[in-house]
Amino acid sequence: MADQLSSTFAALADPTRRAILSRLSMGEAPVNELAQPFRMSLPAVSKHLKVLERAGLIARGREAQWRPCRLEASPLKDVADWAEHYRHFWEESFDRLDDYLRELKGSALKTRDLKNREKKHGAKQRKQ
Amino acid sequence: MADQLSSTFAALADPTRRAILSRLSMGEAPVNELAQPFRMSLPAVSKHLKVLERAGLIARGREAQWRPCRLEASPLKDVADWAEHYRHFWEESFDRLDDYLRELKGSALKTRDLKNREKKHGAKQRKQ
């Protein structure tokens, strides 16, 4: 059996399933309502819902006919916590990009100043 | 082709691959060093590395023999950002649990006070 975090990540590795969670973040909904925007058959949506349910990302009502789905967000806390460990790595890489861009801008300004100075110098020489 | 976020989530849906990222967060390493703690064959580890590389989570050196792997954390920022949207849902559910536990504690204290009072009252009556 897969560990909880692996099941969560596997369930999230599909844009339809993430869209279903996004829809459920606006309130619970029955299966047919969830199926509509995806133009999917009910069995296809039910399959996605089963994956989400097994991962503990949704819960479903007990009524046999109308089993509304609702979001269960606590596994997403584990995802956020896990990713958070790597924050300083991505911040570091953005910082490096930032430094690089600043350097690039600096040398572009220097080149411009140099050219301006040369232009002025040329103009002075022509005046004399 | 899967979208970037789906590839990232799929790559993370495996404890060995997450352990490899965790190891690489301590510094770059060659494949044989990454294989050691998992008692895995080199081809098995290489397969995992390919999944991580395709998802942009690692990059590999160019040297044919010794191709050190290093962590590329920027896709993890997208994971954290995505999960962050659901923060108030998990905080809400923890708040609800908190309220429930507080309620439970409150009623347990009330029951204890009531029992203590009854005991004292009983003791008084026995004394009289």
Side-chain angles (χ1 to χ4, degrees):
Chain A
M1 215 191 79
D3 61 294
Q4 175 60 53
L5 196 53
S6 295
S7 304
T8 307
F9 279 131
L12 298 177
D14 182 282
T16 306
R17 289 198 288 269
R18 293 198 303 277
I20 290 173
L21 293 182
S22 171
R23 163 64 191 83
L24 291 178
S25 73
M26 294 184 281
E28 58 176 48
V31 181
N32 58 348
E33 212 184 297
L34 289 173
Q36 270 169 15
F38 306 111
R39 296 178 188 194
M40 264 183 153
S41 67
L42 284 184
V45 171
S46 290
K47 224 171 153 184
H48 283 310
L49 293 178
K50 260 179 207 147
V51 177
L52 290 169
E53 200 178 3
R54 268 199 299 266
L57 286 161
I58 64 165
R60 303 187 66 180
R62 286 277 152 242
E63 298 83 0
Q65 281 299 312
W66 192 80
R67 299 189 57 201
C69 302
R70 65 162 195 277
L71 179 68
E72 292 280 325
S74 63
L76 299 179
K77 182 187 186 305
D78 301 328
V79 167
D81 288 348
W82 182 87
E84 206 49 42
H85 280 119
Y86 293 88
R87 170 176 291 279
H88 73 275
F89 291 98
W90 74 68
E91 282 182 344
E92 201 179 65
S93 64
F94 286 119
D95 281 352
R96 271 206 307 271
L97 183 66
D98 223 41
D99 287 347
Y100 175 68
L101 291 175
R102 208 167 297 139
E103 231 168 72
L104 220 64
K105 202 180 156 190
S107 66
L109 287 176
K110 258 185 215 161
T111 312
R112 196 197 59 186
D113 290 350
L114 213 66
K115 278 189 181 163
N116 281 348
R117 232 174 289 163
E118 275 169 5
K119 252 191 229 167
K120 273 187 196 167
H121 188 68
K124 255 189 198 168
Q125 281 191 324
R126 277 192 296 278
K127 267 188 191 174
Q128 283 169 351
Chain B
M1 215 191 81
D3 62 294
Q4 174 60 53
L5 196 53
S6 295
S7 304
T8 308
F9 278 131
L12 297 177
D14 181 281
T16 305
R17 290 198 288 270
R18 293 198 303 278
I20 289 173
L21 293 181
S22 170
R23 163 63 190 82
L24 291 177
S25 73
M26 293 182 282
E28 58 177 47
V31 182
N32 58 348
E33 212 183 297
L34 289 173
Q36 269 169 15
F38 306 111
R39 297 181 187 191
M40 264 181 152
S41 66
L42 284 184
V45 171
S46 290
K47 224 171 153 184
H48 282 309
L49 293 178
K50 261 179 204 145
V51 178
L52 290 169
E53 200 177 4
R54 268 200 298 267
L57 286 162
I58 65 165
R60 304 187 65 180
R62 287 276 152 244
E63 299 83 0
Q65 282 299 314
W66 192 80
R67 298 189 58 200
C69 303
R70 66 162 194 278
L71 180 68
E72 292 280 324
S74 64
L76 298 179
K77 182 186 187 307
D78 301 328
V79 167
D81 288 348
W82 182 88
E84 206 51 41
H85 280 120
Y86 293 89
R87 172 178 290 279
H88 72 276
F89 290 98
W90 73 69
E91 282 182 344
E92 202 179 62
S93 64
F94 285 120
D95 281 352
R96 271 206 307 272
L97 184 66
D98 224 43
D99 287 347
Y100 175 67
L101 291 176
R102 207 168 297 139
E103 230 170 71
L104 220 64
K105 200 180 157 191
S107 66
L109 285 177
K110 257 186 214 160
T111 313
R112 195 196 59 186
D113 289 350
L114 212 67
K115 278 189 182 164
N116 281 348
R117 231 173 289 161
E118 276 169 4
K119 252 191 229 166
K120 273 187 196 170
H121 188 68
K124 255 189 198 169
Q125 280 192 324
R126 277 193 297 278
K127 268 189 190 174
Q128 284 170 350

